[in-house]
Amino acid sequence: MRGGSRTFYAASLLLPTRVREPASALYAFCRLADDAIDFGVDKHAAMVDLQQRLDAIYRGRPKSIDADRALTPVVHSFAIPRALLDGLLEGFLWDAQGRRYQTLAELESYGARVAGTVGAMMALLMHTRDASAVARACELGVAMQLTNIARDIGEDARHGRLYLPIEWLADAGLCADDWMRSPEFNPAIATVTQKLIARADALYQRSASGISALPRDCRVAIHAARLVYAEIGHHLERTGLDSINQRAVVSDRRKLTLIARASAAAIFGRTTGSARIAPLPAIQFLVDAAAARDLPAGSFYQRTLRVLDLFERVELRKRETLVRQAA
């Protein structure tokens, strides 16, 4: 995680150990699965192998691969539906196939698979299965993926990859094939980049209302990740929207400022409910898979939730006391 994503690694350090450790196992499997498909000579064979590995994981008899053995107790302990990991693998395969996306809706369907799935699974690791909260977690994942795309337009183009909606390029007067042959920064591509950042910002705003549904000791980490990722897009805006010739990076100092803001918001902030917000259509299948509705009232899972809630309330009182003393 430290090598693959500095932002996720920094955010993970703010998570309680009970979430950080299974999240690391999940990240390891996802990272290695992506590499297996991306760098495999035979993409279909790589996908078949990963599906067989998931079969073994869900049977409780993983193959002798460290990442698989680490993931097995996680998917069983946290009741992670197989559909979420299957959706993630499907998104990786779309990448390997070099898919292009005609519309924003198609692009968000891709984002739902490669990032919305991770949002859903992270919610489950935090013992959050409420449908509206899961929807906001998925939308946060999609927002982060749109930010990634806006940041990496030039790098992706130089590797023959295009994620920007073809319709948006046409509206800006660009032919996708012509631009890919000679990717360069111009006012037209800046317009498309701005639209993508604006869409990501709208989803970041939607996701904020779901943070209050998370356990209190998880809110700082998720709020911080949300703020830092959104800042990548804001940095792009401040520097002229050129992600062809440069890569937007949030400085460590700025990250610390945003983490401090996230900490204050988690302790003192109030967020509005998310139940009245309809899920983004692209993520509905993830919400349906993740939001369990038939857990028995006296289940171990529900008893665990009650114990966690008690610990969270105690921890919150401690934090509020420390903040008041520091003031």
Side-chain angles (χ1 to χ4, degrees):
M1 190 181 293
R2 187 187 300 119
S5 174
R6 292 179 61 190
T7 298
F8 281 132
Y9 177 70
S12 75
L13 297 178
L14 302 173
L15 287 169
T17 303
R18 61 181 172 79
V19 177
R20 183 170 62 251
E21 290 182 351
S24 298
L26 179 63
Y27 181 90
F29 181 86
C30 295
R31 177 75 271 163
L32 295 176
D34 189 16
D35 289 347
I37 296 176
D38 203 20
F39 300 118
V41 176
D42 187 333
K43 313 297 184 185
H44 176 72
M47 176 62 80
V48 169
D49 178 64
L50 286 165
Q51 292 287 357
Q52 291 174 346
R53 286 168 58 184
L54 278 181
D55 289 342
I57 286 169
Y58 275 87
R59 286 197 302 267
R61 296 192 296 275
K63 294 186 177 181
S64 186
I65 300 171
D66 288 345
D68 295 21
R69 292 162 66 180
L71 182 62
T72 299
V74 173
V75 300
H76 291 283
S77 299
F78 294 91
I80 295 178
R82 169 75 182 264
L84 299 181
L85 283 160
D86 283 337
L88 180 73
L89 294 186
E90 184 180 29
F92 290 163
L93 185 59
W94 288 9
D95 259 340
Q97 292 169 340
R99 280 202 185 197
R100 293 186 180 181
Y101 304 97
Q102 188 70 25
T103 65
L104 174 64
E106 290 179 3
L107 180 61
E108 289 178 342
S109 291
Y110 163 73
R113 284 160 175 79
V114 296
T117 51
V118 177
M121 289 186 283
M122 285 299 297
L124 301 186
L125 295 187
M126 297 176 199
H127 293 288
T128 300
R129 301 189 89 96
D130 173 75
S132 61
V134 170
R136 305 292 82 79
C138 294
E139 288 161 357
L140 177 57
V142 174
M144 290 176 167
Q145 187 61 31
L146 296 183
T147 295
N148 280 340
I149 292 169
R151 179 194 62 196
D152 298 337
I153 293 173
E155 181 180 344
D156 286 335
R158 287 186 285 273
H159 287 87
R161 297 189 295 261
L162 177 67
Y163 294 99
L164 300 173
I166 305 299
E167 282 187 352
W168 287 10
L169 292 170
D171 289 344
L174 292 172
C175 170
D177 290 333
D178 290 345
W179 186 81
M180 285 293 287
R181 278 192 285 271
S182 181
E184 62 179 13
F185 179 71
N186 54 45
I189 204 70
T191 298
V192 176
T193 305
Q194 179 67 78
K195 288 178 68 174
L196 196 61
I197 293 171
R199 179 55 176 169
D201 279 343
L203 293 177
Y204 285 125
Q205 188 64 35
R206 287 166 64 101
S207 70
S209 63
I211 292 177
S212 61
L214 300 176
R216 291 180 179 89
D217 58 355
C218 297
R219 294 176 193 172
V220 172
I222 303 308
H223 194 36
R226 171 181 168 271
L227 292 177
V228 170
Y229 247 83
E231 180 66 13
I232 294 171
H234 301 160
H235 179 79
L236 260 175
E237 290 175 322
R238 290 193 297 270
T239 55
L241 296 166
D242 183 2
S243 59
I244 311 302
N245 302 305
Q246 58 190 5
R247 181 183 174 90
V249 176
V250 180
S251 69
D252 289 342
R253 181 175 180 179
R254 181 60 177 159
K255 285 180 182 177
L256 289 174
T257 299
L258 295 171
I259 289 171
R261 183 188 302 173
S263 300
I267 295 175
F268 298 113
R270 295 290 182 270
T271 56
T272 57
S274 61
R276 292 187 300 274
I277 304 175
L280 191 69
I283 63 152
Q284 184 64 62
F285 77 105
L286 301 176
V287 177
D288 292 340
R293 299 177 177 86
D294 55 357
L295 291 170
S299 67
F300 171 77
Y301 177 83
Q302 291 198 340
R303 292 196 301 272
T304 300
L305 287 185
R306 288 195 292 270
V307 172
L308 287 174
D309 184 64
L310 174 61
F311 283 134
E312 290 154 15
R313 280 184 275 133
V314 170
E315 181 63 23
L316 180 64
R317 284 196 293 269
K318 288 181 179 177
R319 289 185 185 181
E320 290 175 340
T321 299
L322 288 173
V323 171
R324 281 194 292 269
Q325 289 174 346

